Amino acid sequence: MTTAQQPEIQTSENRTVAEFIEDIKALSKEIQDLYCLDAIPWVVGYSGGKDSTATLQLIWNAISELPPEKRTKTIHVITTDTGVENPYVSGWVRTSLKHMEIAAETQAMPIKPHLLQPITEDSFWVNLIGKGYPAPRHQFRWCTSRLKINPANQFIRQIVRANGETIIVLGTRKAESATRAATMRKHQVGRVRDRLSPNASLPNSLVYTPLEDWRTDEVWIYLNQYQNPWEYSNKDLFNMYRGATADNECPLVIDSSTRSCGDSRFGCWVCTLVNKDKSMEAMIQNDEEKEWMQPLLDMRNELDIRDDRDKRDFRRMWGQVQLFERDIKGETSIEPVPGPYTKYWREYWLRKLLTAQTEMRQTAPENMRDITLISIEELSEIRRIWLEEKHEFDDSLPRIYQEVTGEKFKDPRPGSDYSLLGSDEWQILEEICDGDGMRLELMSKLLDTERQFKKKARRIGIFESLEKCFDTSSRSQEDAIRNAHLKRDLRQAASDGDVAKIREAFKQLKLDAASKKEESQPENKPENFARMKFQKKEE
């Protein structure tokens, strides 16, 4: 029997509770038929929230009604811990997965939970504190793919490689938002099988959304009236949502006109894509036992500054000035695109994060005292980036770690504590450069580039690396921006075919190059054998 032969499931916004119960029965039968129809494994997305909990519970209850000999197909349950989840919710999900694993074994259910995590190089803090990526914005939403999408997609691709296909079960609902409803309807048009939509980003993967037509109040009706099969309290889940609601109230829903509890969204506590973390604010406000999370909220709000150009480099990540047009009060202004956080602010955010972690380990409940906001592996990768990619050989991370935590930093990376340059050499270089930040940056890059090539058996590429140091760090901020404007004007003149402007731009570039060369030559060159030998060539 195929799913097309099942009773039609109600999609009306005004269906009664009795109709809803009948639809649950029909949906359970549909799940059983889909499960038994082929050998394609299922992957259920589970976040610990109400929708994913209801989805998994619906599937668990439906499959448990099948005879044991038909429960042969593995149902993978995946949840992604981004490393910056709301710590209370993260603890809830981890405990839930443990309950799930035990219950599946006891009940002989083909359900296998998996806790996924992003690779260290993709973690939030490695990118923000290590590389200097600014706090995420809608125009630069660098976090979602690295923290959430990539770990889940990698797991799903592994299942596809092993089995040829997979069915992804999600708890998405049309009632969540108008945008979500439009997206789901668009995917419905391309369905190749009943109730299964193709996944545009993952080949050989079909998406099943059993709750797509459920209202929020119906989700809570189901969770409160049907027992959780892995013996995890849905009432506690309800209370968690209620605690994350501003007025600490989830009303009893008796009809569709009553606003239901459940609009709260739990996500990353560092998220700056929303104006406020309303759920965490409400948790702290409604429960004195959750006041220990206040340092997280404070840091999140400090990160969420719309104009943070004073904290960021005037060059992009690759060291070049990039210009863009801004509309300021009706006038066009061409300004540099701000780049990564500067050294000072990266160190500031590290200190802030370690301070929050230290405070929370002292004030959190006993079961949360081992909370880790940033792992040793992340700290090691941040240290590597600062030393090897940003050439900051003062090696400030171990010092900051010890000052904040009172403990010595133990880097797991082999050979990480061996270096020819250190804080003493950095201090000497600062004194020599006498407050000239760009000269300090250039000299530190040149010295550290030479150090890195010194360890190699062959020094192929050293000249290109040294040249890159000059290309990115030899000009002052004012000169670099002016040079970027000249190049932009030259490109625009070439595009317009304006010969006069092209000549003028080239002339100015030559003058700047000559001026730069003159500044780099000392006025009184000391006499030495090399100078006397090559004097004519220099002249």
Side-chain angles (χ1 to χ4, degrees):
M1 183 180 292
T2 64
T3 54
Q5 295 173 294
Q6 297 307 308
E8 184 179 353
I9 297 171
Q10 296 287 334
T11 59
S12 172
E13 296 181 359
N14 298 316
R15 65 181 161 194
T16 64
V17 173
E19 291 172 336
F20 176 58
I21 293 173
E22 288 301 316
D23 284 346
I24 291 175
K25 294 178 182 178
L27 195 53
S28 297
K29 187 67 171 66
E30 176 184 278
I31 291 170
Q32 292 171 351
D33 289 341
L34 274 174
Y35 178 83
C36 297
L37 191 62
D38 48 47
I40 302 174
W42 287 14
V43 177
V44 182
Y46 176 73
S47 66
K50 64 183 189 308
D51 295 333
S52 64
T53 299
T55 301
L56 179 57
Q57 183 170 311
L58 188 67
I59 290 171
W60 191 306
N61 287 334
I63 303 304
S64 66
E65 295 175 359
L66 292 173
E69 61 270 18
K70 289 190 176 182
R71 304 179 207 161
T72 57
K73 189 164 63 175
T74 303
I75 299 175
H76 300 279
V77 179
I78 62 171
T79 185
T80 303
D81 183 359
T82 62
V84 284
E85 298 291 326
N86 180 308
Y88 185 79
V89 178
S90 178
W92 165 275
V93 172
R94 286 174 178 269
T95 306
S96 176
L97 292 178
K98 292 177 183 177
H99 279 255
M100 206 179 294
E101 189 172 10
I102 295 171
E105 184 177 354
T106 303
Q107 302 171 27
M109 290 291 292
I111 291 177
K112 188 175 181 180
H114 304 268
L115 181 64
L116 309 179
Q117 293 176 310
I119 59 175
T120 302
E121 291 79 359
D122 280 350
S123 79
F124 186 85
W125 298 120
V126 166
N127 282 279
L128 187 136
I129 295 177
K131 298 178 181 178
Y133 280 16
R137 292 287 181 262
H138 289 288
Q139 296 85 355
F140 188 34
R141 191 172 181 165
W142 55 264
C143 54
T144 306
S145 58
R146 288 177 170 84
L147 304 184
K148 293 185 177 182
I149 297 175
N150 290 349
N153 285 0
Q154 183 179 5
F155 180 88
I156 293 169
R157 288 190 183 102
Q158 290 174 353
I159 300 297
V160 171
R161 280 195 294 267
N163 300 273
E165 289 182 276
T166 187
I167 292 176
I168 306 169
V169 187
L170 302 176
T172 51
R173 296 180 298 109
K174 295 173 184 174
E176 290 180 72
S177 67
T179 303
R180 177 60 58 84
T183 302
M184 293 181 73
R185 291 190 184 99
K186 179 181 177 181
H187 289 163
Q188 282 178 332
V189 175
R191 282 181 173 172
V192 294
R193 287 172 56 182
D194 292 328
R195 302 280 284 174
L196 299 180
S197 304
N199 189 310
S201 59
L202 291 169
N204 297 343
S205 300
L206 297 173
V207 178
Y208 178 41
T209 51
L211 269 61
E212 60 185 25
D213 293 314
W214 286 25
R215 303 189 306 266
T216 300
D217 60 299
E218 291 176 330
V219 174
W220 284 120
I221 288 173
Y222 177 73
L223 290 175
N224 288 323
Q225 296 301 318
Y226 291 78
Q227 186 176 358
N228 186 299
W230 59 94
E231 300 178 359
Y232 209 49
S233 175
N234 287 339
K235 286 184 173 58
D236 289 345
L237 177 64
F238 182 82
N239 290 333
M240 185 166 66
Y241 270 89
R242 183 175 64 182
T245 305
D247 54 7
N248 195 25
E249 182 180 355
C250 286
L252 175 65
V253 177
I254 56 175
D255 55 44
S256 59
S257 64
T258 306
R259 188 174 180 272
S260 173
C261 175
D263 288 335
S264 303
R265 292 185 180 273
F266 302 111
C268 302
W269 65 266
V270 292
C271 185
T272 49
L273 297 172
V274 293
N275 292 329
K276 289 184 178 181
D277 189 341
K278 295 181 180 179
S279 62
M280 182 174 283
E281 285 183 352
M283 279 184 168
I284 296 171
Q285 172 188 325
N286 297 331
D287 191 346
E288 292 182 359
E289 294 183 359
K290 295 187 178 68
E291 289 181 355
W292 56 272
M293 292 194 294
Q294 185 64 46
L296 300 186
L297 190 60
D298 293 341
M299 183 172 181
R300 182 258 166 218
N301 291 339
E302 191 171 355
L303 276 169
D304 190 20
I305 299 176
R306 295 298 163 183
D307 188 1
D308 57 359
R309 281 176 291 178
D310 61 321
K311 298 177 175 60
R312 295 163 62 183
D313 201 314
F314 66 95
R315 298 156 297 181
R316 300 304 301 273
M317 190 70 72
W318 56 89
Q320 299 295 332
V321 176
Q322 185 178 13
L323 303 175
F324 77 113
E325 293 185 2
R326 296 182 66 201
D327 187 357
I328 303 177
K329 296 180 180 179
E331 295 185 4
T332 300
S333 175
I334 303 172
E335 299 179 13
V337 179
Y341 288 126
T342 62
K343 183 178 190 293
Y344 171 85
W345 284 102
R346 284 184 277 110
E347 292 176 349
Y348 175 87
W349 295 129
L350 175 63
R351 189 180 295 275
K352 191 86 174 178
L353 181 65
L354 290 173
T355 300
Q357 178 175 276
T358 302
E359 290 178 1
M360 291 170 66
R361 285 180 173 177
Q362 296 170 353
T363 59
E366 288 294 333
N367 62 331
M368 299 291 290
R369 289 290 172 91
D370 61 344
I371 187 170
T372 299
L373 299 181
I374 183 169
S375 67
I376 293 297
E377 291 73 21
E378 289 176 289
L379 289 167
S380 176
E381 178 61 13
I382 290 170
R383 185 189 187 194
R384 186 199 66 77
I385 292 171
W386 288 3
L387 286 170
E388 297 183 6
E389 296 182 15
K390 296 188 178 293
H391 306 286
E392 295 165 356
F393 57 78
D394 58 325
D395 197 14
S396 59
L397 188 144
R399 172 177 52 80
I400 294 172
Y401 184 87
Q402 186 162 10
E403 288 175 356
V404 176
T405 67
E407 302 173 1
K408 185 177 180 180
F409 178 66
K410 298 178 181 178
D411 198 327
R413 189 162 52 94
S416 57
D417 291 325
Y418 172 75
S419 179
L420 294 174
L421 301 171
S423 57
D424 292 340
E425 288 77 13
W426 186 272
Q427 186 174 356
I428 293 172
L429 199 59
E430 283 185 321
E431 293 175 1
I432 293 173
C433 294
D434 191 26
D436 189 332
M438 293 305 298
R439 182 161 295 183
L440 172 63
E441 180 182 293
L442 175 61
M443 296 306 296
S444 65
K445 283 185 175 181
L446 292 172
L447 284 170
D448 195 61
T449 298
E450 172 63 27
R451 177 196 65 80
Q452 290 183 18
F453 275 90
K454 182 180 178 63
K455 298 185 296 182
K456 298 181 179 180
R458 303 182 67 187
R459 292 161 62 89
I460 295 176
I462 185 172
F463 294 115
E464 290 80 1
S465 296
L466 292 173
E467 186 176 353
K468 185 179 179 181
C469 296
F470 284 103
D471 287 343
T472 59
S473 307
S474 60
R475 291 185 176 91
S476 67
Q477 179 173 342
E478 294 77 13
D479 288 344
I481 294 174
R482 186 158 59 90
N483 186 64
H485 277 278
L486 282 173
K487 289 182 177 179
R488 182 181 184 277
D489 293 342
L490 181 60
R491 287 193 298 269
Q492 185 62 45
S495 176
D496 297 340
D498 193 328
V499 178
K501 283 188 177 180
I502 292 175
R503 289 175 177 171
E504 182 64 28
F506 264 120
K507 181 180 178 182
Q508 190 61 51
L509 285 171
K510 286 182 179 180
L511 289 173
D512 286 350
S515 175
K516 182 181 174 184
K517 183 177 181 180
E518 185 178 343
E519 289 177 1
S520 65
Q521 299 292 336
E523 292 182 4
N524 299 315
K525 298 179 181 179
E527 289 295 330
N528 54 41
F529 176 76
R531 174 155 300 285
M532 288 186 291
K533 183 177 180 180
F534 298 105
Q535 185 174 10
K536 291 184 178 180
K537 184 178 292 187
E538 286 185 358
E539 294 174 352

